[in-house]
Amino acid sequence: MPKAKKPGNAGKTVGTVVSIIDTVTQFVTPEMTQSAFEWLQQQYFSDKFIDSVKKVHLPEGNDPLERIGYQCDAVEEIIEKQSAELAEDAPIGQWRGELNKIRRGLDLIDKAPQKDRKKIKALRHRADSLFNSAFSAAVK
């Protein structure tokens, strides 16, 4: 028999998440993020890519669908500008295919009358994986 959810658990979970975010923001200073962006410039990433990464990682207006869009923009920029420098076995074709699927998913969610949180979460997970894969290949 499944356990019934207690009514007070949702508030506790939200409070826990907020406290975790507060703790993390105490350790990640603006100077640290600025030095990370400077490092990206030293690695010869384009300004468009750096701007997309800033929008992904800075907390201003953290709409999940916008964040996914910025990740897609960053991956497109890697494919367009850095494909010559990537390793020969970099899965650029796979990235493009996944990028198209994520963009279609964004369009479908955007057109839906109600936003399905599970679909957004799944799409965000796919976008995170794609971004991490492309970025790690570009850094190597």
Side-chain angles (χ1 to χ4, degrees):
M1 182 168 162
K3 288 176 122 180
K5 292 184 179 181
K6 296 180 183 177
N9 285 345
K12 290 179 185 177
T13 303
V14 170
T16 303
V17 170
V18 169
S19 67
I20 289 171
I21 290 171
D22 288 341
T23 303
V24 169
T25 56
Q26 289 175 356
F27 293 114
V28 179
T29 63
E31 294 83 20
M32 293 170 78
T33 55
Q34 186 59 35
S35 67
F37 296 137
E38 288 172 6
W39 179 83
L40 287 174
Q41 286 177 329
Q42 293 170 356
Q43 300 301 312
Y44 302 107
F45 283 99
S46 69
D47 291 336
K48 184 178 176 183
F49 175 80
I50 294 170
D51 188 46
S52 296
V53 171
K54 283 181 182 178
K55 290 177 182 175
V56 168
H57 291 290
L58 294 179
E60 302 155 357
N62 213 358
D63 178 28
L65 295 178
E66 283 182 6
R67 183 176 192 271
I68 293 168
Y70 294 138
Q71 285 178 315
C72 290
D73 293 345
V75 171
E76 275 182 16
E77 190 67 17
I78 287 175
I79 291 171
E80 290 175 12
K81 303 289 183 191
Q82 304 230 335
S83 60
E85 289 86 28
L86 296 175
E88 290 180 18
D89 61 344
I92 294 173
Q94 272 185 312
W95 293 341
R96 284 192 176 124
E98 186 68 13
L99 194 59
N100 290 334
K101 290 176 187 176
I102 292 170
R103 293 256 190 222
R104 281 194 305 262
L106 279 174
D107 288 342
L108 289 174
I109 290 173
D110 214 21
K111 292 177 183 176
Q114 281 189 320
K115 309 294 184 224
D116 186 354
R117 289 184 1 197
K118 288 183 181 181
K119 288 181 181 178
I120 292 172
K121 184 177 179 179
L123 200 58
R124 186 171 176 184
H125 176 71
R126 289 177 78 170
D128 286 343
S129 297
L130 176 64
F131 178 79
N132 291 338
S133 173
F135 182 72
S136 63
V139 171
K140 288 183 183 179

